[in-house]
Amino acid sequence: MSMTTKPTASVHRMVMPSHVCPYGMKAVDLLKRKGFEVEDHWLRTREETDAFKERQGVETTPQVFIDGRRIGGYDDLRRHFGQHVPKPGETSYRPVVAVFAMTALVALAASHAAFDTPFTVQAAEWFISISMCVLALLKLQDVESFSTMFLNYDLLAKRWVRYGYVYPYAEGLAGVLMTAGALHWISIPVALFIGTIGAVSVFKAVYVDRRELKCACVGGSSNVPLGFVSLTENLMMVGMAIWMIFR
C-alpha cells in the first residue's frame, strides 16, 4: 500500500494581540488549498518581527518557504503557483462586470417579485435604471476624484468644471425616478442630456483622438479603461430616455 506525503511549506507571519496580518492568513490558506502541510510560525511581537526580517534580509512579512527555498510574500506565492497578480495601475473590466451582473440580477429578482416572472420588459427597464443608480453611487463615494478623472475627456466638463460635480447627482436622480416610473418630465431630459454629452465625449476621446484614458464610470479610483464600457453606459441612458418618450 503506497503512502503519499504532503509537501511541506513554512510561513512566518505576524500574529500579535493588536494585529494579525491578513496576507499571512491568505498565504496559509492558499498553501493548504494547494495540498501543502503548513508549518505556521507566528511572529508575536514587533521586536520578533524586526529580528526575523533582519535575519532574512527582507522588508515585509509574511515570508513563505517551500523545500527550504524562500518564495517571498503572498503575491510572490501567487506568482509561484501561476496565479495572476495585478500590477500597479493595471486596467481591468472586473468592476464594471460586477456592477452590471448584480444590477441585472436585482432587476430580474424585482420582476419576479412583482410579476411572478423575471423575464419582463419592466425587468429590462429596471436593469438600466438600477445600473444608473449604482454607477452614480460609486461616483458619489468620492466626487472629487471622479470629477478629476472626468475632466480628462468630458467635453462639457472641460468648459464648465462644476459639471463634473453635478453629473453623478444627475445620473442618480434620473436612475431613481426611472426606477420609480415617476416624474418623467425630469428623468427623461436629464438622462438624454448627460447621456448624449457623455457618449459624444467618449467617442471623440477614444475613437477620434485615440487617447488611452481611464474611465470614471465606476468612480475616480477605478482602473477601468475608457472605451466601449463608458460608451455603453451613456448609450443606455440615451436609449432608456428615448424608450420612455415613445412608451
Side-chain angles (χ1 to χ4, degrees), residues 79-159:
R79 293 188 190 96
H80 177 77
F81 289 129
Q83 297 182 355
H84 175 68
V85 177
K87 298 177 182 178
E90 180 179 328
T91 57
S92 171
Y93 287 105
R94 184 184 181 93
V96 178
V97 172
V99 167
F100 286 140
M102 184 56 67
T103 54
L105 291 172
V106 170
L108 292 172
S111 177
H112 186 275
F115 308 110
D116 291 326
T117 175
F119 305 109
T120 62
V121 172
Q122 184 67 71
E125 294 178 1
W126 279 337
F127 165 61
I128 295 175
S129 62
I130 293 171
S131 295
M132 291 167 62
C133 294
V134 173
L135 291 169
L137 172 64
L138 293 172
K139 297 176 178 73
L140 288 169
Q141 291 182 105
D142 189 344
V143 179
E144 196 67 41
S145 295
F146 163 76
S147 62
T148 301
M149 189 179 292
F150 197 54
L151 278 168
N152 286 320
Y153 58 87
D154 189 84
L155 297 175
L156 180 55
K158 286 177 179 292
R159 291 179 174 272

Side-chain angles (χ1 to χ4, degrees), residues 8 13 23-24 32 35 39 41 58 61 64 67 72 89 91 93 103 119 135 154 163 172 199 201 213 215 227 245:
T8 302
R13 62 190 181 102
Y23 295 104
K32 288 182 177 179
E39 297 175 355
H41 301 279
V58 296
T61 58
V64 179
D67 294 331
T91 57
Y93 287 105
T103 54
F119 305 109
L135 291 169
D154 189 84
Y163 178 63
S201 299
L213 300 169
C215 176
I245 290 173

